[in-house]
Amino acid sequence: MLEHQLTTSDQFIAFKSPLHLLIVEDAILDAELVTMTLQRAEVSFTYDIADTIESCQRCLQQNTYDAVLSDYRLPGFTAYKTLELLRQSGQDIPLILVTGTLGEEAAVECIKAGMTDYVLKDRLFRLPTALARSLQEFELRRQQQAASIRLRQQAQREAIIYRIVQAMRETLVLDDVMQTTADMLHDTLQVDRCYIFTPDPDGKLFIRQISRATIDREQFLNQHLGCMVHEYFYDALSQARTVVLPSIGDDLPPKVRETAELFAFKSVVVAPLLYQQSYLGGIGLHQCSAERKWLDDEIALVRAIADQCAIAIHQAQLFNQVQQQAEREQLLNQISRTLNSSLDPDFILQEIVRLTGESAHVDRVTIYAVDSNHLKILTEWRASDQILSVAGAVLSIQDWADVLDPESPSWLGRILHAPDYGNLPHPPNRLEQIRSKQIVSLLRIPIKIRDQLFGGLSLVTTSAPRTFTDDEIHFFERIADQTAIALSNAKSYEYLEQLVQKRTQELEREKQLSESANRAKTEFLTHMSHELRTPLTGILGFSSLLLKEVFGPLTSKQQQYIEGITSCGRHLLDLINDLLDLSKIEAGKEELFVETVVVQEVCEACLNMIREIASNRGLQLALHIDPDVTVCTADKRRLKQILFNLLSNAVKFTEVGSVTLDVLQRDSGLLFSVIDTGIGISAADQTKLFQSFQQLDGGLSRKYEGTGLGLALARKLAQLHNGDITVTSEVGRGSCFTLHLPLVETIPDS
């Protein structure tokens, strides 16, 4: 076997220099001709010569070549055997046939068999070109194969990622998301152990999930990774760098080597879980059986899955936060319902500690009261009967001066969060009490009533430490506020009850006085109406006779005065009648005689009563009745009185235009609308319309006459019918007064 070094030709610059060739030739002279030909072409190469099957097989097994140059016919074998040995060696390189004579059919068969090219010995000048062309073809094929492999790997990686993402999307339970990720990575990369770790509220790293295929899974689940490992990995992980250790060498920190020994791994990859620069933990892969050289594609796959896992963990955390918030709001609503359902302070406080304990997953919840000398447990909830009870305990706080000092961290007036309560600086006697009460972790929230410290809400774990998050502490503050409301309500209940009782007695006395006043007023008005009507009847009768000039003619002045007397008498009589009607209604003595009334008949009668006055003022009267309206149920006399008051009022305040009575039927009942084109009413004055003795143009110089009782009386009569009167108006545009009368017979019996 010979080896030579020659120069490089320009056409071989693209290939590595020097080339390493295997020349399979039994004739030394022919082998030298081959090397001389390549030398003249300035090809840089080294070569081995094999002249037997054994030497050819040995060279291919022990060396790596760039090409094989083989004679067609050798002692005991042919180039087909050389091709077979080349394939057995696994080297994907060109085999160029260098032969003396070769027919066309034989050449085609050689090419079909897998030989790259052939060169006749009498045309060896073609060898450099044939070699360069063959090397280019194989290089191109290798590149294509590499690209195809990369595409397949990428497709495989994307398929794996897709399966993992789909599995993640099927659940928003955080543990399920992490378990799915660990299991799929374990199966895909064929590792011995795959785990996911996350930091707790104190920043310590714990294994949260580990692949189910891990042999010693239960041994490492929830295992603390250790502070030194945390420090070693944290900088890299928090900066989005993946830690790859093919082996555990002496150059690593001792703590890392100890951890490798503890976890029994020889190679490790740790990828960070980062979401928008927020550190969520990491994914760890262990190879325990042997050291492992991690491929770039494998690292890329781990990183891609870590990114997807971080997104899924973030979404699961958001879902958990929303779910926890909903559960907390539901709990607060339940506490609020408890507050509203009872005024028994013992029952309310017991429900508050029960609901708080069940939602907080602690061992004991208490509510206590405190004064300058004592701290008393008012109520208690325990997770089980095995938890020590402190219900009803009264503690002397003479030796606890710090809890009453506003400047002290232990002041009862501020929140105290102690995950490791026993390690706080306590006096010796207090440490003994802490041990006797089995307090491991403590969250204490003050309860203040009207800014005065009443006591507090206390949450305790007795077996394992517990760190409360800021959200949890804020939630329990809200529960403490609800407790303060409950205590304040309970404290005020007796006072409020006495106050209500006193006010009830006062209202009863006021009612009795009002009833007495109404009776007295009714009796007075009834008596006075009789006493006033008698002389008024005489005055109106005599004035009527005088106006008829029965006793002789009157002068124009006399007739004017007598007409004035008659007008004043009638006005006074109307006032007396309205007062009497109003007082009877207010006293509850007005009786309605309900009957079926023909609507058109009543409306026309009312219009006829004001027709002459309207005609004298030059006003047009109109009546519109819905065809569906025929009858209604009402007191006919009172209905006429209401409509007459509304119509006469409209005529009185309308100088030009018209007055219309419009009757419509709606689902709510009948609407009798009196619409005028009069002076209108401002929004401020509309609030006074239905008050007794109210005149919108009140004063000595008022323009329009009236008692101020008509609208008030009309509305009270409408309300007696279970109806009402409403008004819409605009100054200068007129008014619309509407009587709402129910269709059904809902009017109570008199």
Side-chain angles (χ1 to χ4, degrees):
M1 183 168 60
L2 304 175
E3 186 169 322
H4 299 276
Q5 179 75 36
L6 302 177
T7 60
T8 304
S9 173
D10 291 341
Q11 57 184 332
F12 291 91
I13 291 177
F15 306 105
K16 73 173 186 177
S17 179
L19 297 175
H20 193 36
L21 306 177
L22 175 62
I23 301 175
V24 184
E25 178 62 70
D26 62 332
I28 298 300
L29 181 60
D30 288 346
E32 289 179 353
L33 288 174
V34 169
T35 58
M36 289 174 60
T37 300
L38 294 176
Q39 177 187 12
R40 294 192 191 95
E42 298 182 349
V43 178
S44 177
F45 67 97
T46 60
Y47 66 93
D48 296 329
I49 295 178
D51 56 359
T52 64
I53 293 178
E54 292 75 12
S55 62
C56 180
Q57 184 176 19
R58 184 172 56 255
C59 288
L60 288 172
Q61 290 177 349
Q62 296 178 355
N63 301 284
T64 300
Y65 297 99
D66 295 300
V68 175
L69 308 178
S70 176
D71 197 351
Y72 179 77
R73 215 176 289 277
L74 296 102
F77 68 102
T78 65
Y80 285 102
K81 185 62 178 180
T82 305
L83 180 62
E84 180 184 346
L85 295 175
L86 176 60
R87 287 172 174 170
Q88 290 176 359
S89 71
Q91 299 188 48
D92 185 23
I93 57 176
L95 188 154
I96 299 175
L97 192 60
V98 181
T99 182
T101 58
L102 187 67
E104 184 175 344
E105 291 184 5
V108 171
E109 291 300 322
C110 290
I111 298 300
K112 286 182 178 181
M115 299 179 197
T116 311
D117 204 347
Y118 72 93
V119 176
L120 298 177
K121 290 183 179 180
D122 59 355
R123 297 183 180 181
L124 275 179
F125 64 88
R126 293 182 58 251
L127 180 59
T129 302
L131 177 60
R133 182 172 60 247
S134 297
L135 290 173
Q136 289 173 356
E137 290 176 359
F138 269 74
E139 179 62 25
L140 179 59
R141 189 170 71 182
R142 279 192 288 268
Q143 291 176 0
Q144 291 173 342
Q145 290 174 346
S148 178
I149 291 172
R150 286 196 299 272
L151 288 175
R152 285 199 302 272
Q153 290 174 341
Q154 182 179 357
Q156 182 184 19
R157 185 166 61 247
E158 290 177 354
I160 294 169
I161 294 173
Y162 176 78
R163 291 202 303 273
I164 292 178
V165 170
Q166 288 297 108
M168 290 175 180
R169 289 177 178 173
E170 292 176 358
T171 179
L172 282 172
V173 178
L174 187 55
D175 287 338
D176 291 348
V177 169
M178 292 189 288
Q179 186 65 62
T180 297
T181 304
D183 289 342
M184 287 195 170
L185 268 176
H186 186 118
D187 295 341
T188 301
L189 297 181
Q190 293 297 302
V191 294
D192 295 317
R193 185 185 299 124
C194 178
Y195 60 91
I196 297 177
F197 58 90
T198 59
D200 67 2
D202 296 328
K204 296 179 180 179
L205 296 177
F206 286 87
I207 295 177
R208 288 290 301 275
Q209 288 297 342
I210 191 165
S211 53
R212 291 186 178 91
T214 299
I215 297 175
D216 47 5
R217 180 174 185 269
E218 297 300 325
Q219 177 183 351
F220 298 107
L221 195 60
N222 296 319
Q223 180 75 256
H224 180 212
L225 293 182
C227 295
M228 284 300 293
V229 174
H230 184 196
E231 292 172 2
Y232 179 77
F233 287 114
Y234 186 78
D235 289 341
L237 296 178
S238 61
Q239 296 174 20
R241 288 190 287 111
T242 301
V243 178
V244 181
L245 300 178
S247 61
I248 308 301
D250 294 337
D251 56 331
L252 294 174
K255 189 65 178 179
V256 177
R257 297 199 301 273
E258 292 174 11
T259 304
E261 184 177 349
L262 173 66
F263 282 81
F265 63 83
K266 298 182 179 180
S267 183
V268 63
V269 171
V270 182
L273 295 173
L274 291 174
Y275 181 79
Q276 295 182 352
Q277 305 304 315
S278 177
Y279 178 62
L280 304 178
I283 297 176
L285 303 171
H286 287 174
Q287 200 69 42
C288 303
S289 56
E291 296 180 352
R292 176 169 177 171
K293 182 179 180 181
W294 302 93
L295 302 178
D296 292 341
D297 285 337
E298 294 173 337
I299 303 302
L301 175 63
V302 174
R303 287 173 177 166
I305 292 177
D307 291 341
Q308 294 297 326
C309 184
I311 295 173
I313 290 175
H314 177 72
Q315 291 174 341
Q317 289 176 342
L318 288 180
F319 175 76
N320 288 341
Q321 291 173 4
V322 172
Q323 195 172 39
Q324 288 176 357
Q325 185 63 29
E327 292 173 353
R328 290 169 184 171
E329 293 300 329
Q330 184 178 5
L331 176 60
L332 289 174
N333 290 335
Q334 193 171 354
I335 291 175
S336 297
R337 289 195 298 270
T338 301
L339 297 180
N340 295 329
S341 65
S342 174
L343 284 171
D344 180 2
D346 293 336
F347 170 76
I348 291 174
L349 295 183
Q350 187 60 49
E351 282 297 290
I352 289 176
V353 296
R354 180 184 69 81
L355 294 171
T356 302
E358 291 175 354
S359 68
H361 305 294
V362 293
D363 298 318
R364 184 169 61 229
V365 178
T366 58
I367 293 177
Y368 61 87
V370 65
D371 57 28
S372 58
N373 297 316
H374 299 91
L375 185 150
K376 181 179 181 180
I377 306 298
L378 299 180
T379 188
E380 173 192 65
W381 171 88
R382 292 176 294 154
S384 68
D385 293 337
Q386 283 69 41
I387 306 300
L388 177 68
S389 174
V390 296
V394 179
L395 305 178
S396 174
I397 56 176
Q398 294 178 353
D399 299 331
W400 294 41
D402 57 326
V403 300
L404 297 179
D405 181 8
E407 302 299 325
S408 169
S410 300
W411 179 46
L412 291 173
R414 66 166 54 93
I415 295 173
L416 176 62
H417 178 211
D420 192 358
Y421 187 59
N423 283 336
L424 293 180
H426 299 293
N429 59 337
R430 192 184 306 172
L431 280 174
E432 182 58 33
Q433 292 187 33
I434 292 171
R435 294 191 189 98
S436 66
K437 300 297 185 295
Q438 300 177 345
I439 301 176
V440 176
S441 298
L442 171 69
L443 175 62
R444 191 182 67 203
I445 300 175
I447 297 174
K448 296 182 180 180
I449 301 177
R450 299 185 184 92
D451 295 329
Q452 297 296 317
L453 180 64
F454 170 83
L457 175 69
S458 176
L459 293 85
V460 169
T461 63
T462 61
S463 56
R466 168 71 181 275
T467 300
F468 294 91
T469 65
D470 292 340
D471 287 342
E472 289 176 324
I473 294 174
H474 178 65
F475 170 65
F476 295 127
E477 280 187 275
R478 296 175 66 185
I479 292 181
D481 292 340
Q482 295 278 22
T483 306
I485 294 173
L487 292 171
S488 178
N489 290 343
K491 191 174 181 181
S492 304
Y493 173 65
E494 185 177 354
Y495 169 75
L496 291 174
E497 190 176 42
Q498 293 174 353
L499 187 62
V500 169
Q501 185 177 4
K502 180 180 177 182
R503 182 56 182 158
T504 302
Q505 294 172 352
E506 291 176 353
L507 291 174
E508 187 64 30
R509 286 195 298 270
E510 290 176 2
K511 181 180 178 182
Q512 293 173 356
L513 291 174
S514 177
E515 290 176 351
S516 298
N518 285 334
R519 284 196 301 271
K521 180 174 69 173
T522 302
E523 292 172 0
F524 170 74
L525 290 174
T526 303
H527 178 72
M528 288 303 297
S529 66
H530 174 73
E531 295 299 326
L532 290 173
R533 280 178 179 178
T534 301
L536 272 177
T537 302
I539 292 172
L540 292 174
F542 291 140
S543 62
S544 178
L545 288 174
L546 290 173
L547 286 173
K548 292 178 181 179
E549 297 182 332
V550 175
F551 304 104
L554 300 174
T555 65
S556 60
K557 203 67 173 177
Q558 289 172 336
Q559 188 169 7
Q560 180 183 352
Y561 287 158
I562 293 174
E563 287 176 353
I565 292 170
T566 301
S567 176
C568 290
R570 288 175 179 168
H571 181 69
L572 184 57
L573 184 60
D574 290 341
L575 175 60
I576 292 170
N577 290 333
D578 287 348
L579 278 171
L580 185 60
D581 288 342
L582 198 59
S583 64
K584 288 172 69 178
I585 292 173
E586 290 178 347
K589 293 186 177 182
E590 178 63 23
E591 296 180 356
L592 295 181
F593 298 96
V594 179
E595 59 181 320
T596 300
V597 178
V598 179
V599 173
Q600 184 158 357
E601 179 184 322
V602 171
C603 293
E604 289 180 348
C606 293
L607 288 173
N608 288 335
M609 285 190 287
I610 65 163
R611 193 175 301 281
E612 183 177 353
I613 300 174
S615 179
N616 292 336
R617 296 176 65 89
L619 302 176
Q620 293 183 355
L621 294 180
L623 173 62
H624 298 147
I625 301 177
D626 193 324
D628 295 334
V629 177
T630 55
V631 296
C632 66
T633 302
D635 185 316
K636 185 175 181 179
R637 185 174 69 87
R638 291 307 190 185
L639 179 58
K640 282 184 177 181
Q641 188 175 358
I642 295 170
L643 294 177
F644 177 76
N645 280 349
L646 296 179
L647 288 167
S648 61
N649 211 52
V651 170
K652 182 193 304 183
F653 291 98
T654 304
E655 297 181 357
V656 178
S658 63
V659 175
T660 302
L661 176 57
D662 194 1
V663 185
L664 299 173
Q665 182 172 326
R666 294 289 184 266
D667 293 339
S668 59
L670 293 182
L671 305 181
F672 295 81
S673 299
V674 176
I675 307 165
D676 64 60
T677 58
I679 61 175
I681 308 165
S682 66
D685 288 337
Q686 289 178 28
T687 59
K688 302 184 293 183
L689 278 175
F690 299 102
Q691 299 178 17
S692 301
F693 303 104
Q694 288 291 328
Q695 286 282 331
L696 300 187
D697 63 334
L700 295 176
S701 61
R702 65 191 179 115
K703 180 178 179 181
Y704 303 98
E705 296 181 353
T707 63
L709 293 176
L711 288 177
L713 179 59
R715 189 174 206 181
K716 289 186 178 295
L717 289 173
Q719 291 171 346
L720 278 177
H721 285 79
N722 283 343
D724 201 1
I725 294 177
T726 59
V727 60
T728 58
S729 183
E730 185 177 348
V731 176
R733 302 287 298 272
S735 305
C736 176
F737 287 82
T738 301
L739 166 64
H740 301 260
L741 196 64
L743 277 175
V744 294
E745 297 185 23
T746 56
I747 303 170
D749 294 335
S750 301

